[in-house]
Short mmCIF file of all heavy atoms in Angstrom, two decimals:
data_model
loop_
_atom_site.label_atom_id
_atom_site.label_comp_id
_atom_site.label_asym_id
_atom_site.label_seq_id
_atom_site.Cartn_x
_atom_site.Cartn_y
_atom_site.Cartn_z
N ALA A 1709 7.89 -5.22 -14.41
CA ALA A 1709 8.32 -3.84 -14.15
C ALA A 1709 9.04 -3.23 -15.35
O ALA A 1709 9.54 -2.10 -15.26
CB ALA A 1709 9.23 -3.80 -12.94
N GLY A 1710 9.11 -3.97 -16.48
CA GLY A 1710 9.78 -3.46 -17.67
C GLY A 1710 11.28 -3.51 -17.59
O GLY A 1710 11.97 -2.72 -18.26
N GLN A 1711 11.85 -4.43 -16.81
CA GLN A 1711 13.29 -4.56 -16.64
C GLN A 1711 13.73 -5.96 -17.07
O GLN A 1711 12.91 -6.87 -17.21
CB GLN A 1711 13.69 -4.32 -15.18
CG GLN A 1711 13.18 -3.02 -14.58
CD GLN A 1711 13.80 -1.80 -15.23
OE1 GLN A 1711 15.01 -1.77 -15.49
NE2 GLN A 1711 12.99 -0.78 -15.48
N ASP A 1712 15.04 -6.10 -17.29
CA ASP A 1712 15.61 -7.42 -17.55
C ASP A 1712 16.78 -7.64 -16.61
O ASP A 1712 17.42 -6.70 -16.15
CB ASP A 1712 16.05 -7.57 -19.01
CG ASP A 1712 17.17 -6.62 -19.38
OD1 ASP A 1712 16.87 -5.45 -19.70
OD2 ASP A 1712 18.34 -7.03 -19.31
N PHE A 1713 17.06 -8.90 -16.35
CA PHE A 1713 18.05 -9.23 -15.33
C PHE A 1713 19.45 -8.74 -15.69
O PHE A 1713 20.20 -8.31 -14.81
CB PHE A 1713 18.06 -10.76 -15.11
CG PHE A 1713 19.00 -11.19 -14.02
CD1 PHE A 1713 18.64 -11.06 -12.69
CD2 PHE A 1713 20.25 -11.71 -14.33
CE1 PHE A 1713 19.51 -11.45 -11.68
CE2 PHE A 1713 21.12 -12.10 -13.33
CZ PHE A 1713 20.74 -11.97 -12.00
N LYS A 1714 19.82 -8.79 -16.96
CA LYS A 1714 21.17 -8.40 -17.35
C LYS A 1714 21.43 -6.92 -17.07
O LYS A 1714 22.53 -6.54 -16.65
CB LYS A 1714 21.40 -8.71 -18.82
CG LYS A 1714 21.44 -10.20 -19.13
CD LYS A 1714 21.71 -10.43 -20.61
CE LYS A 1714 21.77 -11.93 -20.92
NZ LYS A 1714 22.01 -12.19 -22.35
N SER A 1715 20.43 -6.07 -17.30
CA SER A 1715 20.64 -4.63 -17.12
C SER A 1715 20.63 -4.22 -15.66
O SER A 1715 21.39 -3.35 -15.24
CB SER A 1715 19.56 -3.85 -17.89
OG SER A 1715 18.27 -4.15 -17.36
N ILE A 1716 19.79 -4.87 -14.86
CA ILE A 1716 19.69 -4.47 -13.45
C ILE A 1716 20.60 -5.30 -12.56
O ILE A 1716 20.91 -4.89 -11.44
CB ILE A 1716 18.22 -4.59 -12.97
CG1 ILE A 1716 17.99 -3.75 -11.71
CG2 ILE A 1716 17.84 -6.03 -12.72
CD1 ILE A 1716 16.54 -3.71 -11.27
N GLY A 1717 21.04 -6.47 -13.04
CA GLY A 1717 21.82 -7.35 -12.19
C GLY A 1717 23.23 -6.86 -11.91
O GLY A 1717 23.81 -7.18 -10.88
N ILE A 1718 23.80 -6.05 -12.80
CA ILE A 1718 25.19 -5.61 -12.63
C ILE A 1718 25.31 -4.57 -11.53
O ILE A 1718 26.12 -4.70 -10.60
CB ILE A 1718 25.74 -5.07 -13.96
CG1 ILE A 1718 25.78 -6.19 -15.00
CG2 ILE A 1718 27.13 -4.47 -13.76
CD1 ILE A 1718 26.22 -5.74 -16.37
N ASN A 1719 24.52 -3.52 -11.60
CA ASN A 1719 24.61 -2.43 -10.62
C ASN A 1719 23.46 -2.43 -9.61
O ASN A 1719 23.44 -1.59 -8.71
CB ASN A 1719 24.65 -1.09 -11.34
CG ASN A 1719 25.91 -0.91 -12.16
OD1 ASN A 1719 27.00 -1.26 -11.72
ND2 ASN A 1719 25.76 -0.38 -13.37
N GLY A 1720 22.51 -3.32 -9.76
CA GLY A 1720 21.41 -3.39 -8.81
C GLY A 1720 20.32 -2.38 -9.08
O GLY A 1720 20.40 -1.55 -9.99
N GLY A 1721 19.28 -2.44 -8.28
CA GLY A 1721 18.16 -1.51 -8.42
C GLY A 1721 17.12 -1.78 -7.34
O GLY A 1721 17.25 -2.70 -6.53
N VAL A 1722 16.09 -0.95 -7.32
CA VAL A 1722 15.03 -1.05 -6.33
C VAL A 1722 13.71 -1.25 -7.06
O VAL A 1722 13.34 -0.46 -7.93
CB VAL A 1722 14.96 0.21 -5.43
CG1 VAL A 1722 13.87 0.05 -4.37
CG2 VAL A 1722 16.30 0.48 -4.77
N LEU A 1723 13.00 -2.32 -6.70
CA LEU A 1723 11.70 -2.62 -7.29
C LEU A 1723 10.62 -2.55 -6.23
O LEU A 1723 10.84 -2.93 -5.08
CB LEU A 1723 11.70 -4.02 -7.91
CG LEU A 1723 12.60 -4.25 -9.12
CD1 LEU A 1723 12.48 -5.69 -9.59
CD2 LEU A 1723 12.25 -3.30 -10.26
N GLY A 1724 9.47 -2.07 -6.63
CA GLY A 1724 8.32 -2.01 -5.73
C GLY A 1724 7.27 -3.03 -6.13
O GLY A 1724 6.88 -3.11 -7.30
N VAL A 1725 6.84 -3.83 -5.17
CA VAL A 1725 5.70 -4.73 -5.36
C VAL A 1725 4.51 -4.07 -4.68
O VAL A 1725 4.44 -3.98 -3.46
CB VAL A 1725 5.98 -6.12 -4.76
CG1 VAL A 1725 4.76 -7.02 -4.93
CG2 VAL A 1725 7.20 -6.76 -5.41
N LEU A 1726 3.58 -3.59 -5.49
CA LEU A 1726 2.44 -2.83 -4.99
C LEU A 1726 1.23 -3.76 -4.89
O LEU A 1726 0.81 -4.35 -5.89
CB LEU A 1726 2.13 -1.65 -5.89
CG LEU A 1726 3.06 -0.44 -5.83
CD1 LEU A 1726 4.43 -0.78 -6.44
CD2 LEU A 1726 2.48 0.75 -6.57
N ILE A 1727 0.69 -3.89 -3.68
CA ILE A 1727 -0.48 -4.72 -3.44
C ILE A 1727 -1.64 -3.79 -3.09
O ILE A 1727 -1.58 -3.06 -2.10
CB ILE A 1727 -0.25 -5.73 -2.30
CG1 ILE A 1727 1.00 -6.57 -2.59
CG2 ILE A 1727 -1.47 -6.63 -2.13
CD1 ILE A 1727 1.34 -7.55 -1.47
N ASP A 1728 -2.66 -3.80 -3.93
CA ASP A 1728 -3.79 -2.89 -3.75
C ASP A 1728 -5.05 -3.70 -3.49
O ASP A 1728 -5.38 -4.62 -4.25
CB ASP A 1728 -3.97 -2.02 -5.00
CG ASP A 1728 -5.00 -0.94 -4.79
OD1 ASP A 1728 -5.22 -0.53 -3.64
OD2 ASP A 1728 -5.60 -0.49 -5.79
N TRP A 1729 -5.76 -3.35 -2.41
CA TRP A 1729 -7.01 -4.01 -2.05
C TRP A 1729 -8.16 -3.04 -2.29
O TRP A 1729 -8.17 -1.93 -1.74
CB TRP A 1729 -7.00 -4.43 -0.58
CG TRP A 1729 -5.99 -5.48 -0.23
CD1 TRP A 1729 -4.68 -5.31 0.05
CD2 TRP A 1729 -6.24 -6.88 -0.13
NE1 TRP A 1729 -4.08 -6.50 0.33
CE2 TRP A 1729 -5.02 -7.50 0.23
CE3 TRP A 1729 -7.36 -7.69 -0.29
CZ2 TRP A 1729 -4.89 -8.87 0.42
CZ3 TRP A 1729 -7.25 -9.06 -0.10
CH2 TRP A 1729 -6.02 -9.63 0.25
N ARG A 1730 -9.13 -3.46 -3.09
CA ARG A 1730 -10.35 -2.68 -3.32
C ARG A 1730 -11.54 -3.59 -3.02
O ARG A 1730 -11.86 -4.49 -3.80
CB ARG A 1730 -10.41 -2.18 -4.77
CG ARG A 1730 -9.29 -1.22 -5.12
CD ARG A 1730 -9.42 0.09 -4.40
NE ARG A 1730 -8.21 0.90 -4.51
CZ ARG A 1730 -8.08 2.10 -3.99
NH1 ARG A 1730 -9.08 2.62 -3.30
NH2 ARG A 1730 -6.95 2.77 -4.11
N CYS A 1731 -12.17 -3.37 -1.89
CA CYS A 1731 -13.19 -4.30 -1.39
C CYS A 1731 -14.55 -3.62 -1.33
O CYS A 1731 -14.69 -2.58 -0.68
CB CYS A 1731 -12.80 -4.81 0.00
SG CYS A 1731 -11.22 -5.71 0.03
N ASP A 1732 -15.53 -4.22 -2.01
CA ASP A 1732 -16.91 -3.78 -1.93
C ASP A 1732 -17.62 -4.71 -0.95
O ASP A 1732 -17.99 -5.84 -1.29
CB ASP A 1732 -17.57 -3.84 -3.31
CG ASP A 1732 -18.94 -3.19 -3.32
OD1 ASP A 1732 -19.48 -2.93 -2.22
OD2 ASP A 1732 -19.48 -2.95 -4.42
N LEU A 1733 -17.80 -4.26 0.26
CA LEU A 1733 -18.36 -5.09 1.32
C LEU A 1733 -19.87 -5.26 1.22
O LEU A 1733 -20.46 -5.95 2.05
CB LEU A 1733 -17.99 -4.51 2.69
CG LEU A 1733 -16.48 -4.39 2.95
CD1 LEU A 1733 -16.23 -3.85 4.35
CD2 LEU A 1733 -15.78 -5.73 2.76
N ASP A 1734 -20.50 -4.65 0.20
CA ASP A 1734 -21.91 -4.91 -0.04
C ASP A 1734 -22.11 -6.31 -0.64
O ASP A 1734 -23.24 -6.81 -0.67
CB ASP A 1734 -22.50 -3.85 -0.97
CG ASP A 1734 -22.58 -2.49 -0.31
OD1 ASP A 1734 -22.71 -2.46 0.93
OD2 ASP A 1734 -22.50 -1.48 -1.01
N PHE A 1735 -21.01 -6.89 -1.14
CA PHE A 1735 -21.05 -8.24 -1.68
C PHE A 1735 -20.24 -9.16 -0.78
O PHE A 1735 -19.71 -8.76 0.25
CB PHE A 1735 -20.51 -8.25 -3.11
CG PHE A 1735 -21.26 -7.38 -4.06
CD1 PHE A 1735 -20.85 -6.06 -4.30
CD2 PHE A 1735 -22.39 -7.84 -4.71
CE1 PHE A 1735 -21.54 -5.25 -5.17
CE2 PHE A 1735 -23.10 -7.03 -5.59
CZ PHE A 1735 -22.68 -5.74 -5.82
N ASN A 1736 -20.13 -10.40 -1.16
CA ASN A 1736 -19.39 -11.39 -0.38
C ASN A 1736 -17.92 -11.00 -0.28
O ASN A 1736 -17.30 -10.63 -1.28
CB ASN A 1736 -19.52 -12.77 -1.04
CG ASN A 1736 -19.11 -13.88 -0.09
OD1 ASN A 1736 -18.19 -13.73 0.71
ND2 ASN A 1736 -19.80 -15.00 -0.17
N THR A 1737 -17.35 -11.07 0.91
CA THR A 1737 -15.95 -10.68 1.11
C THR A 1737 -14.98 -11.60 0.36
O THR A 1737 -13.82 -11.24 0.17
CB THR A 1737 -15.60 -10.68 2.60
OG1 THR A 1737 -15.88 -11.98 3.15
CG2 THR A 1737 -16.40 -9.63 3.34
N SER A 1738 -15.43 -12.77 -0.05
CA SER A 1738 -14.55 -13.67 -0.81
C SER A 1738 -14.21 -13.10 -2.18
O SER A 1738 -13.23 -13.52 -2.80
CB SER A 1738 -15.20 -15.05 -0.96
OG SER A 1738 -16.41 -14.95 -1.69
N LEU A 1739 -15.01 -12.14 -2.64
CA LEU A 1739 -14.73 -11.50 -3.93
C LEU A 1739 -13.67 -10.43 -3.81
O LEU A 1739 -13.23 -9.89 -4.84
CB LEU A 1739 -16.03 -10.89 -4.49
CG LEU A 1739 -17.19 -11.85 -4.74
CD1 LEU A 1739 -18.42 -11.09 -5.20
CD2 LEU A 1739 -16.80 -12.92 -5.73
N CYS A 1740 -13.26 -10.12 -2.61
CA CYS A 1740 -12.22 -9.10 -2.40
C CYS A 1740 -10.85 -9.74 -2.55
O CYS A 1740 -10.41 -10.51 -1.69
CB CYS A 1740 -12.39 -8.48 -1.01
SG CYS A 1740 -11.16 -7.23 -0.60
N GLU A 1741 -10.17 -9.45 -3.65
CA GLU A 1741 -8.86 -10.03 -3.94
C GLU A 1741 -7.83 -8.93 -4.16
O GLU A 1741 -8.16 -7.83 -4.62
CB GLU A 1741 -8.93 -10.93 -5.18
CG GLU A 1741 -9.85 -12.13 -5.02
CD GLU A 1741 -9.84 -13.00 -6.26
OE1 GLU A 1741 -9.15 -12.64 -7.24
OE2 GLU A 1741 -10.52 -14.05 -6.26
N PRO A 1742 -6.56 -9.20 -3.88
CA PRO A 1742 -5.51 -8.19 -4.08
C PRO A 1742 -5.16 -8.05 -5.56
O PRO A 1742 -5.25 -9.00 -6.34
CB PRO A 1742 -4.33 -8.74 -3.28
CG PRO A 1742 -4.53 -10.23 -3.31
CD PRO A 1742 -6.02 -10.44 -3.29
N LEU A 1743 -4.75 -6.85 -5.92
CA LEU A 1743 -4.23 -6.57 -7.25
C LEU A 1743 -2.74 -6.26 -7.13
O LEU A 1743 -2.34 -5.38 -6.36
CB LEU A 1743 -4.97 -5.39 -7.89
CG LEU A 1743 -6.47 -5.59 -8.14
CD1 LEU A 1743 -7.07 -4.32 -8.71
CD2 LEU A 1743 -6.71 -6.76 -9.09
N TYR A 1744 -1.90 -6.98 -7.89
CA TYR A 1744 -0.46 -6.82 -7.82
C TYR A 1744 0.02 -6.01 -9.02
O TYR A 1744 -0.41 -6.22 -10.15
CB TYR A 1744 0.24 -8.18 -7.82
CG TYR A 1744 -0.11 -9.07 -6.65
CD1 TYR A 1744 -1.15 -10.00 -6.74
CD2 TYR A 1744 0.60 -9.00 -5.46
CE1 TYR A 1744 -1.47 -10.83 -5.67
CE2 TYR A 1744 0.28 -9.83 -4.39
CZ TYR A 1744 -0.75 -10.74 -4.50
OH TYR A 1744 -1.06 -11.56 -3.44
N SER A 1745 0.94 -5.11 -8.75
CA SER A 1745 1.62 -4.37 -9.81
C SER A 1745 3.08 -4.18 -9.40
O SER A 1745 3.41 -4.24 -8.21
CB SER A 1745 0.94 -3.02 -10.08
OG SER A 1745 0.92 -2.22 -8.90
N PHE A 1746 3.93 -3.94 -10.39
CA PHE A 1746 5.37 -3.91 -10.14
C PHE A 1746 5.96 -2.68 -10.83
O PHE A 1746 5.58 -2.34 -11.95
CB PHE A 1746 6.03 -5.19 -10.65
CG PHE A 1746 5.34 -6.44 -10.18
CD1 PHE A 1746 4.33 -7.02 -10.94
CD2 PHE A 1746 5.66 -7.02 -8.96
CE1 PHE A 1746 3.67 -8.16 -10.51
CE2 PHE A 1746 5.01 -8.16 -8.52
CZ PHE A 1746 4.02 -8.73 -9.30
N ARG A 1747 6.91 -2.05 -10.14
CA ARG A 1747 7.47 -0.80 -10.65
C ARG A 1747 8.90 -0.64 -10.15
O ARG A 1747 9.22 -1.02 -9.02
CB ARG A 1747 6.61 0.37 -10.18
CG ARG A 1747 6.92 1.71 -10.82
CD ARG A 1747 5.95 2.74 -10.32
NE ARG A 1747 4.57 2.31 -10.54
CZ ARG A 1747 3.52 2.80 -9.92
NH1 ARG A 1747 3.69 3.74 -9.00
NH2 ARG A 1747 2.31 2.36 -10.18
N ARG A 1748 9.75 -0.08 -10.99
CA ARG A 1748 11.11 0.25 -10.54
C ARG A 1748 11.08 1.60 -9.85
O ARG A 1748 10.55 2.58 -10.37
CB ARG A 1748 12.09 0.27 -11.71
CG ARG A 1748 13.53 0.52 -11.25
CD ARG A 1748 14.56 0.18 -12.29
NE ARG A 1748 15.91 0.33 -11.74
CZ ARG A 1748 17.02 0.07 -12.41
NH1 ARG A 1748 16.93 -0.39 -13.67
NH2 ARG A 1748 18.19 0.23 -11.86
N LEU A 1749 11.64 1.65 -8.65
CA LEU A 1749 11.53 2.84 -7.81
C LEU A 1749 12.76 3.73 -7.84
O LEU A 1749 12.64 4.93 -7.59
CB LEU A 1749 11.25 2.42 -6.35
CG LEU A 1749 9.98 1.58 -6.12
CD1 LEU A 1749 9.84 1.25 -4.65
CD2 LEU A 1749 8.75 2.29 -6.64
N ASP A 1750 13.94 3.18 -8.08
CA ASP A 1750 15.13 4.03 -8.11
C ASP A 1750 15.20 4.77 -9.44
O ASP A 1750 14.67 4.33 -10.46
CB ASP A 1750 16.40 3.23 -7.87
CG ASP A 1750 16.61 2.15 -8.92
OD1 ASP A 1750 15.62 1.48 -9.26
OD2 ASP A 1750 17.74 1.96 -9.41
N THR A 1751 15.87 5.91 -9.42
CA THR A 1751 15.95 6.76 -10.60
C THR A 1751 16.80 6.10 -11.68
O THR A 1751 17.93 5.68 -11.43
CB THR A 1751 16.55 8.13 -10.24
OG1 THR A 1751 15.78 8.70 -9.19
CG2 THR A 1751 16.56 9.05 -11.44
N VAL A 1752 16.23 6.01 -12.89
CA VAL A 1752 16.95 5.45 -14.03
C VAL A 1752 17.02 6.53 -15.10
O VAL A 1752 16.00 6.90 -15.68
CB VAL A 1752 16.26 4.19 -14.58
CG1 VAL A 1752 17.04 3.63 -15.76
CG2 VAL A 1752 16.12 3.14 -13.50
N SER A 1753 18.21 7.04 -15.35
CA SER A 1753 18.39 8.12 -16.32
C SER A 1753 19.72 7.95 -17.04
O SER A 1753 20.76 7.73 -16.40
CB SER A 1753 18.33 9.49 -15.62
OG SER A 1753 18.63 10.53 -16.51
N LYS A 1754 19.68 8.02 -18.37
CA LYS A 1754 20.92 7.93 -19.15
C LYS A 1754 21.79 9.17 -18.95
O LYS A 1754 23.01 9.09 -19.00
CB LYS A 1754 20.59 7.76 -20.63
CG LYS A 1754 19.88 6.45 -20.95
CD LYS A 1754 19.61 6.34 -22.45
CE LYS A 1754 18.91 5.02 -22.77
NZ LYS A 1754 18.62 4.89 -24.23
N GLU A 1755 21.15 10.32 -18.73
CA GLU A 1755 21.91 11.55 -18.54
C GLU A 1755 22.60 11.59 -17.18
O GLU A 1755 23.69 12.13 -17.04
CB GLU A 1755 20.98 12.76 -18.68
CG GLU A 1755 20.43 12.99 -20.08
CD GLU A 1755 19.30 12.04 -20.43
OE1 GLU A 1755 18.79 11.37 -19.49
OE2 GLU A 1755 18.93 11.94 -21.61
N ASN A 1756 21.95 11.01 -16.15
CA ASN A 1756 22.52 11.03 -14.80
C ASN A 1756 22.32 9.67 -14.14
O ASN A 1756 21.35 9.46 -13.42
CB ASN A 1756 21.88 12.14 -13.97
CG ASN A 1756 22.51 12.27 -12.60
OD1 ASN A 1756 23.63 11.81 -12.37
ND2 ASN A 1756 21.81 12.91 -11.68
N PRO A 1757 23.22 8.71 -14.41
CA PRO A 1757 23.05 7.36 -13.87
C PRO A 1757 23.44 7.22 -12.41
O PRO A 1757 23.38 6.13 -11.85
CB PRO A 1757 23.96 6.53 -14.77
CG PRO A 1757 25.05 7.47 -15.16
CD PRO A 1757 24.41 8.83 -15.26
N VAL A 1758 23.88 8.32 -11.77
CA VAL A 1758 24.36 8.22 -10.39
C VAL A 1758 23.25 7.80 -9.44
O VAL A 1758 23.47 7.05 -8.48
CB VAL A 1758 24.97 9.57 -9.95
CG1 VAL A 1758 25.43 9.50 -8.49
CG2 VAL A 1758 26.14 9.93 -10.86
N GLY A 1759 22.02 8.22 -9.68
CA GLY A 1759 20.93 7.93 -8.76
C GLY A 1759 20.40 6.52 -8.83
O GLY A 1759 19.63 6.11 -7.98
N SER A 1760 20.77 5.76 -9.86
CA SER A 1760 20.23 4.41 -10.01
C SER A 1760 21.18 3.40 -9.39
O SER A 1760 22.35 3.67 -9.14
CB SER A 1760 20.01 4.09 -11.49
OG SER A 1760 21.25 4.14 -12.19
N GLY A 1761 20.68 2.19 -9.18
CA GLY A 1761 21.50 1.11 -8.63
C GLY A 1761 21.30 0.94 -7.14
O GLY A 1761 20.72 1.80 -6.45
N TYR A 1762 21.77 -0.21 -6.65
CA TYR A 1762 21.66 -0.51 -5.22
C TYR A 1762 22.78 -1.46 -4.84
O TYR A 1762 23.02 -2.47 -5.53
CB TYR A 1762 20.30 -1.14 -4.90
CG TYR A 1762 20.16 -1.58 -3.46
CD1 TYR A 1762 19.94 -0.65 -2.46
CD2 TYR A 1762 20.28 -2.92 -3.11
CE1 TYR A 1762 19.82 -1.04 -1.14
CE2 TYR A 1762 20.15 -3.32 -1.79
CZ TYR A 1762 19.92 -2.38 -0.80
OH TYR A 1762 19.82 -2.77 0.50
N ASN A 1763 23.51 -1.12 -3.77
CA ASN A 1763 24.59 -1.99 -3.29
C ASN A 1763 24.80 -1.78 -1.80
O ASN A 1763 24.41 -0.75 -1.24
CB ASN A 1763 25.90 -1.75 -4.07
CG ASN A 1763 26.45 -0.35 -3.86
OD1 ASN A 1763 27.07 -0.04 -2.85
ND2 ASN A 1763 26.20 0.54 -4.84
N PHE A 1764 25.43 -2.74 -1.19
CA PHE A 1764 25.79 -2.65 0.23
C PHE A 1764 26.97 -3.59 0.47
O PHE A 1764 27.30 -4.44 -0.38
CB PHE A 1764 24.60 -3.03 1.13
CG PHE A 1764 24.08 -4.43 0.91
CD1 PHE A 1764 24.51 -5.48 1.71
CD2 PHE A 1764 23.16 -4.68 -0.10
CE1 PHE A 1764 24.03 -6.77 1.51
CE2 PHE A 1764 22.68 -5.97 -0.31
CZ PHE A 1764 23.11 -7.01 0.50
N ARG A 1765 27.62 -3.44 1.62
CA ARG A 1765 28.81 -4.24 1.94
C ARG A 1765 28.57 -5.05 3.22
O ARG A 1765 27.87 -4.60 4.11
CB ARG A 1765 30.04 -3.34 2.14
CG ARG A 1765 30.54 -2.68 0.87
CD ARG A 1765 31.71 -1.74 1.18
NE ARG A 1765 32.30 -1.18 -0.02
CZ ARG A 1765 31.85 -0.11 -0.65
NH1 ARG A 1765 30.79 0.55 -0.19
NH2 ARG A 1765 32.46 0.33 -1.74
N PHE A 1766 29.17 -6.21 3.24
CA PHE A 1766 29.20 -7.02 4.46
C PHE A 1766 30.48 -7.85 4.42
O PHE A 1766 31.12 -8.00 3.37
CB PHE A 1766 27.96 -7.90 4.60
CG PHE A 1766 27.82 -8.95 3.53
CD1 PHE A 1766 28.28 -10.24 3.74
CD2 PHE A 1766 27.21 -8.65 2.31
CE1 PHE A 1766 28.14 -11.22 2.77
CE2 PHE A 1766 27.07 -9.62 1.34
CZ PHE A 1766 27.53 -10.91 1.56
N ALA A 1767 30.87 -8.36 5.58
CA ALA A 1767 32.15 -9.08 5.69
C ALA A 1767 31.94 -10.38 6.44
O ALA A 1767 31.06 -10.49 7.32
CB ALA A 1767 33.18 -8.23 6.40
N LYS A 1768 32.74 -11.37 6.09
CA LYS A 1768 32.77 -12.67 6.78
C LYS A 1768 34.13 -12.78 7.48
O LYS A 1768 35.17 -12.71 6.82
CB LYS A 1768 32.57 -13.80 5.79
CG LYS A 1768 31.20 -13.79 5.13
CD LYS A 1768 31.01 -14.99 4.22
CE LYS A 1768 29.62 -15.00 3.62
NZ LYS A 1768 29.40 -16.18 2.72
N HIS A 1769 34.10 -12.94 8.78
CA HIS A 1769 35.32 -12.93 9.59
C HIS A 1769 35.78 -14.35 9.90
O HIS A 1769 34.97 -15.25 10.11
CB HIS A 1769 35.08 -12.16 10.88
CG HIS A 1769 34.87 -10.68 10.67
ND1 HIS A 1769 35.85 -9.74 10.88
CD2 HIS A 1769 33.78 -9.97 10.24
CE1 HIS A 1769 35.39 -8.53 10.62
NE2 HIS A 1769 34.13 -8.65 10.22
N TYR A 1770 37.12 -14.50 9.92
CA TYR A 1770 37.75 -15.78 10.24
C TYR A 1770 38.92 -15.52 11.19
O TYR A 1770 39.41 -14.39 11.30
CB TYR A 1770 38.26 -16.47 8.97
CG TYR A 1770 37.22 -16.59 7.87
CD1 TYR A 1770 37.11 -15.60 6.89
CD2 TYR A 1770 36.38 -17.69 7.80
CE1 TYR A 1770 36.16 -15.70 5.88
CE2 TYR A 1770 35.43 -17.80 6.79
CZ TYR A 1770 35.32 -16.80 5.84
OH TYR A 1770 34.39 -16.91 4.84
N VAL A 1771 39.38 -16.58 11.81
CA VAL A 1771 40.55 -16.49 12.70
C VAL A 1771 41.51 -17.62 12.32
O VAL A 1771 41.11 -18.80 12.27
CB VAL A 1771 40.14 -16.60 14.18
CG1 VAL A 1771 41.37 -16.55 15.08
CG2 VAL A 1771 39.16 -15.48 14.56
N PHE A 1772 42.78 -17.25 12.06
CA PHE A 1772 43.80 -18.24 11.75
C PHE A 1772 44.14 -19.03 13.01
O PHE A 1772 43.89 -18.58 14.14
CB PHE A 1772 45.06 -17.56 11.21
CG PHE A 1772 44.90 -17.07 9.79
CD1 PHE A 1772 45.05 -15.71 9.49
CD2 PHE A 1772 44.62 -17.95 8.77
CE1 PHE A 1772 44.92 -15.27 8.20
CE2 PHE A 1772 44.48 -17.50 7.46
CZ PHE A 1772 44.63 -16.16 7.17
N PRO A 1773 44.75 -20.21 12.84
CA PRO A 1773 45.16 -20.99 14.02
C PRO A 1773 46.09 -20.25 14.96
O PRO A 1773 46.11 -20.49 16.17
CB PRO A 1773 45.84 -22.22 13.41
CG PRO A 1773 45.19 -22.37 12.06
CD PRO A 1773 44.94 -20.98 11.59
N ASN A 1774 46.89 -19.30 14.39
CA ASN A 1774 47.80 -18.54 15.25
C ASN A 1774 47.11 -17.37 15.96
O ASN A 1774 47.76 -16.57 16.65
CB ASN A 1774 48.98 -18.03 14.44
CG ASN A 1774 48.55 -17.11 13.30
OD1 ASN A 1774 47.37 -16.82 13.14
ND2 ASN A 1774 49.51 -16.65 12.51
#
Side-chain angles (χ1 to χ4, degrees):
Q1711 307 293 318
D1712 64 276
F1713 183 79
K1714 292 182 179 179
S1715 63
I1716 199 174
I1718 296 176
N1719 294 318
V1722 182
L1723 294 179
V1725 178
L1726 286 70
I1727 306 177
D1728 188 26
W1729 295 83
R1730 297 292 168 179
C1731 300
D1732 189 347
L1733 301 182
D1734 291 332
F1735 300 94
N1736 196 324
T1737 56
S1738 62
L1739 301 176
C1740 179
E1741 297 182 358
L1743 297 177
Y1744 299 93
S1745 59
F1746 310 92
R1747 190 177 305 161
R1748 184 164 185 178
L1749 301 180
D1750 61 317
T1751 304
V1752 180
S1753 174
K1754 295 181 179 180
E1755 293 77 13
N1756 184 19
V1758 178
S1760 62
Y1762 176 76
N1763 64 79
F1764 60 96
R1765 291 176 175 84
F1766 64 95
K1768 295 184 177 180
H1769 292 259
Y1770 309 92
V1771 178
F1772 286 120
N1774 60 2

